[in-house]
Every structure is written in structure tokens, then in C-alpha cells.
Amino acid sequence: MRATWLRELPFETPAIVSGFWPIKEEIDIRPLLIELHNQGCQLALPVVQGKGQPLLFRAWRPGDPLEAGVFGTLQPQARRETIEPEALLVPLLACDEEGWRLGYGGGFYDRTLLGLRARKRVTAVGVAFNAQLVPEVPRGPDDQRLDWLLTDQRACAFV
């Protein structure tokens, strides 16, 4: 995935970039996060604030200690600075060929992207295994479309 990102460059660096710590069978984006850090990006990881709330992003650097979050996630410690990303690496269960994403059902990224996009330009990059790209996913009126999909085999631009 790192090589595909370097070839396609879905957003300019340096930037403030939110990633995520992989859980369960999610694709491991940690090598990409290290690459982005090495390119001068300020990194952040998401924090779930509560049901119905957008995500909060705390600053993180490779090697920083993490603490347990909800849903089995790991997140930066509470004392870390809160920052607002310009680009988001977004986990998903599936993504279709138009950039619509199926998440885990909490709506956290949709709420977050809606709020961020109302204030400024942000780039949402879904990251997944290539097999997670499907012809169509169900979507609702509050869903937010991805700008890019980055898989272990290719990149797709939806913008």
C-alpha cells in the first residue's frame, strides 16, 4: 500500500493526516503512517467521543504510547493535543466503485467528514484490501463519499 500511495499521491504532503490503529482483520496502515511522518506530516489518530458524536483527533507520532479506546481500538493518550486533519485515512468494511463506503455502523466517519467538509477542504482516503472493493454498497442520506480508495493492489480516485 505504501508503494501505491507514493505512486498516486492522493493528497499533498506535508499535511495533517489522521490514520487509525488497525483492529481485527483490518489492513495494517502503520508502514504508511511511518512514511507520512517521514515526509513531514503531522499525524493524528481518532478518538470516539460518544454515540452520535463526531470523532476527535489527537496528535500522534510513531513510538508514542497508546491507550485503550472503544471497540478494541488504541488511541493517543488524553494529554495529547487535539488537532483537525486535512486528510483522513478511513477504515471500511467495503467500498463501491463510486466511492461510497460501508463502515461499522456507528456513523462516526460520516458525521466527522460532514463537519470537517462544512469548514474546509479535506481529503478522505479509504484504505482496505482489494477484495473489499465491490460493485455497490447500500448508502443513506447522511453518508459521506470517499475521495480515494487505496488498497494493497491499487488506488482509485473518485474526485
Side-chain angles (χ1 to χ4, degrees):
M1 177 183 343
R2 180 183 163 274
T4 304
W5 184 85
L6 287 169
R7 185 175 60 249
E8 298 293 335
L9 298 176
F11 54 86
E12 291 184 30
T13 60
I16 301 171
V17 181
S18 74
F20 60 90
W21 205 261
I23 59 171
K24 300 180 185 175
E25 302 301 317
E26 287 179 335
I27 195 162
D28 187 354
I29 67 165
R30 290 174 289 189
L32 177 56
L33 293 176
I34 291 168
E35 176 67 35
L36 291 168
H37 175 75
N38 291 341
Q39 290 194 19
C41 291
Q42 169 140 22
L43 300 177
L45 295 177
V47 175
V48 174
Q49 300 184 84
K51 186 176 181 178
Q53 298 294 312
L55 296 167
L56 175 77
F57 298 93
R58 289 189 192 141
W60 175 81
R61 290 184 306 264
D64 280 357
L66 297 170
E67 61 187 25
V70 298
F71 309 118
T73 62
L74 292 174
Q75 62 193 31
Q77 296 177 333
R79 63 180 168 81
R80 293 296 307 203
E81 173 189 9
T82 299
I83 57 177
E84 194 168 89
E86 300 162 335
L88 295 86
L89 301 176
V90 182
L92 53 90
L93 292 175
C95 179
D96 70 20
E97 296 165 355
E98 294 182 7
W100 296 103
R101 167 189 169 272
L102 182 64
Y104 295 100
F108 294 106
Y109 276 97
D110 293 313
R111 270 189 300 283
T112 302
L113 285 169
L114 181 65
L116 288 171
R117 287 173 170 164
R119 293 190 299 280
K120 65 181 186 177
R121 169 131 172 78
V122 296
T123 302
V125 180
V127 286
F129 293 104
N130 201 59
Q132 291 172 271
L133 180 60
V134 298
E136 187 177 2
V137 297
R139 67 176 188 260
D142 297 325
D143 289 350
Q144 293 289 304
R145 194 168 167 235
L146 296 171
D147 298 297
W148 283 80
L149 175 67
L150 186 62
T151 77
D152 54 328
Q153 296 179 18
R154 62 180 162 165
C156 304
F158 305 117
V159 291

